[in-house]
Amino acid sequence: MTNPDEILMIPGPTTLSSRVRAAMALPQQSHVSPEFYGAFKESLELSRYLFGNRSGLQFLLTGSGTIGMETAVVSLFEPGDRILALETGYFGHRFAALAEIHTCTVKQLEAPLGKKIDLDTFEKELKSGNYKAVVFTHVDTSTSVMNDIYALVKLCQNNNVLSICDSVCGIGGAKMVFDDLHADLVLTASQKAIAGPPGGTLLAVSESAWSVMEKRKTPIQSYYMNLLRWKPIMDDPKIYLTTPAVQVMLGIHEALLEIKEEGLEQRWERHSKNAEALVTGLQSLGLKLCASPDSRAPTVTAFYVEDGKSADIQETLREKYGIHVARGFGEYKDSMIRVGHFGNISEIDIIALLGALELIIKPGSELGKSKAVESAMPLLRQ
Ligand SMILES: Cc1ncc(COP(=O)(O)O)c(C=O)c1O
C-alpha cells in the first residue's frame, strides 16, 4: 500500500490537500442535482479566474490533459490544415502526433534539448510556411523547459496564425493570463499545478478561434471531443451530454477554491521561489540541470544524475525518506530525475528533498550540515 504520508513530487499528479480529498469522499451525488450543478457552475467561474479569461469561452471536461489537446486539435483543425508544432520535449511531439492522426499536414520545429524555442528561427518558419496554426507547450514536463509563450503568441498574431498552447504543466504555477496572452486556445489538466485529482481538462478559447470552429467547412470528426457540442453544457451544466466524473469534479472545485483563496500572484511567487531554491540546492551538489537558465520552469525541474543511478536514487528517496520523484523520459530514464514542485508542494518539501538527496548522493554527509539545504535557505527566507 502507498505510504499515506508520502510527499508526491512526481511531475503530476501531485499531493492533494485534505480539503480536496474530503470533497471527493462525499456520498455519491447525482450529476444533475442542484448541489453538483452549483459546484460545477462555480468551478467554471473559478477557472476563468485561474486562466485570467474574461474575453473568451471557458470549458471544463472530464478527461485527462491529452483529451484537452485532442479536443483542441479535432475542434479547430480540418483535414490538410498546415500546422507548425514546436517541440521542447515529449509533449510537443504528442501535439504533433495528434494533429497528424487527424490528417493535418504537420511540420515540427524542435529546440535543442534543454532550450526553449528560439524566436528568430520560429519567426522565419512562420513566415515561410503558410500555416493555419502553431501548437506548442508552455512547460514540457519531460525536459522542464518553459517557452516564452507571450513572445510566441505575439509572433503568431503578427502573422495571422492561430496559437494553441498546452499549459498542462504551467497554469496555476507559471504565469499565464489568457486575456493578456491573446492566444486562441490554452488548455490544462487538473492534476498538476492546480493540485486537483487527475481526470479534468480545462480549456480557454478566444472569440476568434470560436468563429473559426463555427465556420468550418467539414464537420468535427468526434462526438466527445467537440467543443461546439459542449458549449451549451458550459452555459447550463444541468443539460445532459455525458456523465461527468462527479467525484473528480468535486475535487477540482475544491482545488480551484483553494487557488482563489491563496491568490494567483502569491501562488506564482511561491512557485518561483521554491523552484529557485531547489535549483540552487541541486547546483550546490554539483548536479547539472536539463533546462538552460533562460528556459527553466517554476513548476518542474529535471536534472542529471550519474548514468544508471536514477532508479536507485528514486527508490531510496521513496523507501527511506517518503519522497516520490520521477525518473527521466525515454533515453534519459537512467540518467535523469524529474521533480514536480507545484500545487501544495511547500518550501519544507523542497528542504526535505534536498537534504535527503544529499544524504543519498554524497555518502558521509550529515543531515544537520546539508550544503544543499544551506544554499537553498536564503532564497526561501526572502
Ligand atoms: C505538458 C503536458 N502536456 C500534456 C500532458 C498529458 O496529460 P495527461 O497525462 O493528463 O493526458 C502532460 C502529462 O504529463 C504534460 O505534462
Side-chain angles (χ1 to χ4, degrees), residues 64-66 69 91 94 137 139 141 166 168 191-192:
S64 80
T66 308
M69 295 166 83
F91 290 99
R94 179 173 294 189
T137 319
V139 175
T141 325
D166 161 4
V168 166
Q191 76 273 23
K192 297 191 195 274

Side-chain angles (χ1 to χ4, degrees), residues 200-223:
T201 183
L202 302 85
L203 304 95
V205 181
S206 74
E207 286 291 352
S208 51
W210 190 251
S211 84
V212 170
M213 280 180 225
E214 285 182 321
K215 290 184 191 142
R216 290 174 62 105
K217 294 193 197 79
T218 57
I220 295 176
Q221 294 292 314
S222 171
Y223 188 93

Side-chain angles (χ1 to χ4, degrees), residues 268-282:
W268 294 331
E269 222 171 275
R270 175 169 65 82
H271 278 74
S272 295
K273 200 174 169 181
N274 286 348
E276 278 168 35
L278 177 64
V279 164
T280 305
L282 293 173

Side-chain angles (χ1 to χ4, degrees), residues 147-174:
N147 270 313
D148 186 349
I149 55 170
Y150 284 84
L152 293 177
V153 172
K154 184 102 198 98
L155 288 171
C156 289
Q157 272 192 311
N158 294 347
N159 290 279
N160 283 323
V161 176
L162 294 171
S163 49
I164 319 298
C165 175
D166 161 4
S167 188
V168 166
C169 195
I171 290 177

Side-chain angles (χ1 to χ4, degrees), residues 287-351:
L287 295 165
K288 192 170 164 284
L289 273 72
C290 175
S292 58
D294 66 349
S295 309
R296 288 182 190 147
T299 47
V300 59
T301 297
F303 59 94
Y304 296 99
V305 293
E306 195 183 322
D307 199 13
K309 291 276 190 217
S310 69
D312 282 352
I313 295 173
Q314 183 196 42
E315 193 183 318
T316 312
L317 272 174
R318 191 167 185 210
E319 300 297 322
K320 200 162 172 195
Y321 301 106
I323 303 173
H324 195 169
V325 297
R327 291 166 67 188
F329 241 81
E331 61 182 299
Y332 299 98
K333 193 162 178 261
D334 296 326
S335 57
M336 204 185 266
I337 296 277
R338 294 175 307 126
V339 179
H341 37 86
F342 41 52
N344 299 309
I345 295 302
S346 70
E347 55 186 40
I348 300 295
D349 300 326
I350 300 287
I351 290 170

Side-chain angles (χ1 to χ4, degrees), residues 70-340:
E70 197 155 2
T71 299
V73 166
V74 180
S75 298
L76 263 175
F77 302 162
E78 300 196 51
D81 277 349
R82 291 180 56 79
I83 308 299
L84 179 61
L86 306 184
E87 301 188 0
T88 42
Y90 174 83
F91 290 99
H93 291 290
R94 179 173 294 189
F95 233 158
L98 287 169
E100 266 165 7
I101 286 169
H102 293 287
T103 67
C104 297
T105 304
V106 182
K107 166 99 190 250
Q108 305 183 26
L109 181 67
E110 193 168 355
L113 179 66
K115 302 261 185 217
K116 63 184 174 186
I117 292 290
D118 175 70
L119 296 177
D120 291 336
T121 317
F122 172 53
E123 191 171 17
K124 261 188 224 131
E125 186 56 48
L126 254 188
K127 288 192 185 306
S128 66
N130 194 23
Y131 294 107
K132 168 168 171 168
V134 178
V135 294
F136 54 94
T137 319
H138 186 181
V139 175
D140 201 296
T141 325
S142 66
T143 54
S144 68
V145 165
M146 180 160 78
N147 270 313
D148 186 349
I149 55 170
Y150 284 84
L152 293 177
V153 172
K154 184 102 198 98
L155 288 171
C156 289
Q157 272 192 311
N158 294 347
N159 290 279
N160 283 323
V161 176
L162 294 171
S163 49
I164 319 298
C165 175
D166 161 4
S167 188
V168 166
C169 195
I171 290 177
K175 186 170 180 184
M176 192 296 297
V177 179
F178 187 73
D179 289 347
D180 299 339
L181 181 64
H182 301 296
D184 289 290
L185 191 151
V186 180
L187 68 100
T188 192
S190 50
Q191 76 273 23
K192 297 191 195 274
I194 295 177
T201 183
L202 302 85
L203 304 95
V205 181
S206 74
E207 286 291 352
S208 51
W210 190 251
S211 84
V212 170
M213 280 180 225
E214 285 182 321
K215 290 184 191 142
R216 290 174 62 105
K217 294 193 197 79
T218 57
I220 295 176
Q221 294 292 314
S222 171
Y223 188 93
Y224 190 88
M225 292 177 288
N226 179 336
L227 287 177
L228 293 176
R229 207 187 279 279
W230 278 108
K231 166 86 167 46
I233 287 80
M234 298 301 118
D235 292 341
D236 181 4
K238 277 196 215 117
I239 301 171
Y240 168 75
L241 180 62
T242 70
T243 309
V246 171
Q247 281 79 357
V248 168
M249 288 298 161
L250 293 175
I252 293 171
H253 175 242
E254 202 61 36
L256 291 170
L257 280 172
E258 289 184 321
I259 292 175
K260 184 85 191 281
E261 287 164 23
E262 179 175 9
L264 265 181
E265 299 272 346
Q266 288 85 338
R267 198 173 171 92
W268 294 331
E269 222 171 275
R270 175 169 65 82
H271 278 74
S272 295
K273 200 174 169 181
N274 286 348
E276 278 168 35
L278 177 64
V279 164
T280 305
L282 293 173
Q283 286 175 329
S284 79
L285 297 177
L287 295 165
K288 192 170 164 284
L289 273 72
C290 175
S292 58
D294 66 349
S295 309
R296 288 182 190 147
T299 47
V300 59
T301 297
F303 59 94
Y304 296 99
V305 293
E306 195 183 322
D307 199 13
K309 291 276 190 217
S310 69
D312 282 352
I313 295 173
Q314 183 196 42
E315 193 183 318
T316 312
L317 272 174
R318 191 167 185 210
E319 300 297 322
K320 200 162 172 195
Y321 301 106
I323 303 173
H324 195 169
V325 297
R327 291 166 67 188
F329 241 81
E331 61 182 299
Y332 299 98
K333 193 162 178 261
D334 296 326
S335 57
M336 204 185 266
I337 296 277
R338 294 175 307 126
V339 179

